């Protein structure tokens, strides 16, 4: 799954963006729909699945562990599951490419099955620590052989029966929470996760939808999520809403490029994912929700965004869990605002596909933006709506969100901006550049 060669790309400002766009299916929901369908007994159908490299890595891993997964010409995916407890020993290593979500969630699945799996990934993923997932799964009885620092390549030896635990998350992480809950699926008794700070709840919604015995209650120390193991999951028909993380690039582009007017259809509006919309509206963005509705248990809406003058803010730290993946493009929005935007409380950005604080600071600095780096965030001096100087070559560090965020920055820059490698965009948004060309009226 690693990118064999870089794909440099140069982006120049070409005026306003106008039109309607449907973003790819939500990446978080796509991963989980494949995993839980593979653990149900019977056939599940998934429409709108994100067909980026990260999700395809999950599909390949579930096939390797026994699930029958087929994509039809219509775009519908059909999955025949093996049942909870039925995962098979994979014949070879599971290649996760660049996908941290695949890795951490699948570690949870394997941990409570009597199988051994080796996880490998590209250079970026192999630099990301997995210790925060290893700790609770080891407490459940799984054992690990990892590269120093809790990194890939990594071998997980699952155990059945695993031991149910009560685990308080030391940092807000939907991936760690989900890994524990997925391990709890095949663990006798009740596995509990205490979440002091709420994170995205796609796993809880989908587990309940598949028939798992899962409860959520508010307690003084936070949310208590409890799952009773060894349930039989029922197959489902799932329609995946549009990914708000992908929509974020068009929300910012529409806000900062003069004359722009973009409508993004069928965007997931789960309140644990909409921090970027809240932050942009605090800055003065003109974002309108159209036709709010519920699809497959998830709230969705169409979003219309029009150019607006943005004003700097101090980003509330409590928004962090609901927009952790959107900080790079929020930093771009900040670069065009009036005043200095300060974002703190986002330590998690240091251990994403790249160190997104340092990488975005370097990228924006190269394009003429003044930033100040903190251990847990960034301060960005805005241009007041003026174009950025631009004219730089950006080191994307194998990070798809850096590449797309700096593409947005280039759309209102005096000189073109070059990405040293645009290939990582394929991990989450394979048609991003084609969509950009269409919105700018320059598609072939």
């Amino acid at each position: 799954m690693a990118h064999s060669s870089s794909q440099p790309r140069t982006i120049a400002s070409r005026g306003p963006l106008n039109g309607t766009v449907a973003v790819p299916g939500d990446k978080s929901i796509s991963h989980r729909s494949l995993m839980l369908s593979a653990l149900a007994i019977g056939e599940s159908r998934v429409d709108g699945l994100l067909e980026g490299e990260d999700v395809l890595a999950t599909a390949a891993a579930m096939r390797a562990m026994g699930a029958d997964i087929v994509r039809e010409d219509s775009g519908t995916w059909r999955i025949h599951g093996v049942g909870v407890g039925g995962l098979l020993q994979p014949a070879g290593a599971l290649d996760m490419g660049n996908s941290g979500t695949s890795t951490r969630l699948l570690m949870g699945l394997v941990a409570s099955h009597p199988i051994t799996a080796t996880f490998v990934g590209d250079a970026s993923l192999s630099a990301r620590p997995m210790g925060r997932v290893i700790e609770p799964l080891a407490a459940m009885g799984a054992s690990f052989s990892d590269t120093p620092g809790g990194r890939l390549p990594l071998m997980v030896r699952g155990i059945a029966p695993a031991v149910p635990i009560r685990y308080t998350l030391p940092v807000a992480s939907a991936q760690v929470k989900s890994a524990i809950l997925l391990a709890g699926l095949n663990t006798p008794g009740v596995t509990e996760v205490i979440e002091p700070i709420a994170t995205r709840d796609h796993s809880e919604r989908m587990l309940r939808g598949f028939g798992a015995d899962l409860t959520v209650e508010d307690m003084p120390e936070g949310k208590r999520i409890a799952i009773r193991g060894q349930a039989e999951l029922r197959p489902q028909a799932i329609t995946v809403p549009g990914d708000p993380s992908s929509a974020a690039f068009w929300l910012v582009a529409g806000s900062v490029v003069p004359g722009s007017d973009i409508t993004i259809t069928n965007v997931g509006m789960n309140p644990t994912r909409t921090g970027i919309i809240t932050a942009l509206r605090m800055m003065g963005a003109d974002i309108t929700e159209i036709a709010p509705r519920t699809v497959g248990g998830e709230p969705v809406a169409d979003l219309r965004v029009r150019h607006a003058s943005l004003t700097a803010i101090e980003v509330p730290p409590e928004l962090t869990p609901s927009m952790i993946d959107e900080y790079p493009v929020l930093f771009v929005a900040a670069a065009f605002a009036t005043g200095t935007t300060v974002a703190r409380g986002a330590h998690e950005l240091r251990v994403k596909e790249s160190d997104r604080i340092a990488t975005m600071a370097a990228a924006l600095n190269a394009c003429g933006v003044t930033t100040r780096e903190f251990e847990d965030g960034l301060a960005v001096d805005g241009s007041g709506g003026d174009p950025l100087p631009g004219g730089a070559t950006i080191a994307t560090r194998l990070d798809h969100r850096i590449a797309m965020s700096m593409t947005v920055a280039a759309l209102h820059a005096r000189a073109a901006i070059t990405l040293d490698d645009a290939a990582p965009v394929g991990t989450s948004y394979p048609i991003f550049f084609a969509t950009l060309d269409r919105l700018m009226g320059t598609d072939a």
Side-chain angles (χ1 to χ4, degrees), residues 199-253:
T199 65
R200 59 184 66 177
D201 64 351
H202 301 305
S203 292
E204 295 96 306
R205 289 173 183 257
M206 193 169 287
L207 281 162
R208 279 196 294 250
F210 273 84
D213 183 356
L214 182 141
T215 58
V216 179
E217 61 178 319
D218 290 321
M219 302 181 68
E221 61 266 44
K223 284 191 181 296
R224 172 185 176 269
I225 305 114
I227 187 167
R228 185 172 295 279
Q230 300 180 314
E232 183 173 306
L233 300 187
R234 301 184 296 266
Q236 300 293 305
I238 299 168
T239 299
V240 180
D243 196 328
S245 295
S246 296
F249 301 108
W250 308 126
L251 292 175
V252 173

Side-chain angles (χ1 to χ4, degrees), residues 100-162:
T101 302
S102 301
T103 307
R104 295 187 175 107
L105 270 58
L106 289 171
M107 285 169 63
L109 282 184
V110 170
S112 60
H113 283 75
I115 61 176
T116 298
T118 298
F119 293 87
V120 299
D122 69 9
S124 170
L125 181 60
S126 297
R128 299 174 66 181
M130 300 293 160
R132 63 180 59 174
V133 181
I134 291 173
E135 178 184 332
L137 297 181
M140 298 179 76
S143 58
F144 298 85
S145 298
D146 52 274
T147 302
R151 292 173 166 82
L152 272 56
L154 179 151
M155 179 182 290
V156 182
R157 297 178 184 86
I159 186 171

Side-chain angles (χ1 to χ4, degrees), residues 152-205:
L152 272 56
L154 179 151
M155 179 182 290
V156 182
R157 297 178 184 86
I159 186 171
V163 179
I165 60 171
R166 178 185 175 96
Y167 189 79
T168 299
L169 294 176
V171 296
S173 173
Q175 291 182 0
V176 177
K177 171 180 66 175
S178 297
I180 298 168
L181 294 176
L182 291 173
L185 263 180
N186 196 43
T187 299
V190 177
T191 297
E192 302 172 79
V193 178
I194 308 299
E195 188 176 52
I197 300 173
T199 65
R200 59 184 66 177
D201 64 351
H202 301 305
S203 292
E204 295 96 306
R205 289 173 183 257

